[in-house]
Amino acid sequence: MKNLNLIFLMLISSIFVYGKGSEEPFHKSVPYVDMDKFSGDWYVIALIPTIFEKDASNGIENYSIDDKGFIRVKYTYNKGGKDKVMYQKGWIYNTQTNAEWRVRPLWPLKLPYFILELDDNYSYTVIGTNNYDYLWIMARTPQIDHELLDDIINRAVDRGYDRDKIVLMNQDGV
């Protein structure tokens, strides 16, 4: 019962937290995302973690498009020495660019996700939320160049993300 109350409180607080965000120009996303190229595995390199991702390692997001056009997200990670999997469902909100989504981690939430950066070769991406609370820097490989990562983090901070909240994710198990 305690766990149900905790989940309920998290859901309610998330609704208020995500409700405070705005769709301001800061969220200028990339001009276009080719969903076929974007699909597949992305290693989480750095992030502002959700409650589920705190102290996690070896995070890999896998995106695919199902036959109805929904984005299927499979997030695998390790937490406390245990491998875990979380499934989410997404919708392309801006169909002209494919760079703004709504993602449902838990019902009834539909959270705005913005693809803020995407390398021309689809080798790294940056996804953020509309309230600056969550950020994911991901790559097709488990590590990226440190100088490139510093540049990406600096651009995220320029957008309004808190540098002190951005953490590196350990990718030692891959």
Side-chain angles (χ1 to χ4, degrees), residues 1-9:
M1 186 65 162
K2 235 180 187 182
N3 286 341
L4 287 176
N5 288 337
L6 178 62
I7 290 171
F8 178 74
L9 286 174

Side-chain angles (χ1 to χ4, degrees), residues 47-62:
L47 70 162
I48 298 177
T50 66
I51 191 168
F52 302 104
E53 297 166 306
K54 286 186 180 171
D55 302 318
S57 62
N58 302 322
I60 301 172
E61 291 263 346
N62 178 280

Side-chain angles (χ1 to χ4, degrees), residues 33-166:
V33 176
D34 179 324
M35 291 305 295
D36 288 330
K37 288 182 183 178
F38 195 86
S39 294
D41 287 345
W42 290 94
Y43 293 87
V44 180
I45 305 298
L47 70 162
I48 298 177
T50 66
I51 191 168
F52 302 104
E53 297 166 306
K54 286 186 180 171
D55 302 318
S57 62
N58 302 322
I60 301 172
E61 291 263 346
N62 178 280
Y63 299 102
S64 61
I65 303 293
D66 70 15
D67 57 356
K68 294 182 181 174
F70 292 112
I71 302 166
R72 297 296 176 178
V73 183
K74 178 183 177 187
Y75 181 57
T76 57
Y77 60 104
N78 186 286
K79 190 167 182 176
K82 296 180 182 178
D83 290 333
K84 299 184 180 251
V85 179
M86 183 162 62
Y87 295 93
Q88 301 174 72
K89 180 179 180 180
W91 296 261
I92 296 173
Y93 187 76
N94 181 334
T95 56
Q96 291 181 338
T97 67
N98 296 334
E100 184 181 345
W101 304 353
R102 296 299 181 263
V103 175
R104 177 174 284 154
L106 298 169
W107 186 88
L109 300 176
K110 268 192 199 176
L111 310 175
Y113 280 46
F114 298 86
I115 300 175
L116 302 173
E117 288 190 37
L118 181 59
D119 179 63
D120 290 340
N121 296 321
Y122 287 65
S123 64
Y124 76 84
T125 189
V126 179
I127 298 177
T129 58
N130 68 328
N131 59 8
Y132 304 93
D133 285 346
Y134 303 106
L135 179 76
W136 296 270
I137 298 169
M138 300 183 290
R140 295 294 190 174
T141 58
Q143 284 86 31
I144 61 174
D145 177 76
H146 292 294
E147 190 174 314
L148 173 60
L149 180 59
D150 287 343
D151 289 344
I152 294 169
I153 290 172
N154 287 335
R155 288 191 298 271
V157 169
D158 289 346
R159 286 180 179 268
Y161 288 93
D162 185 342
R163 181 183 305 275
D164 294 334
K165 292 182 180 179
I166 300 171

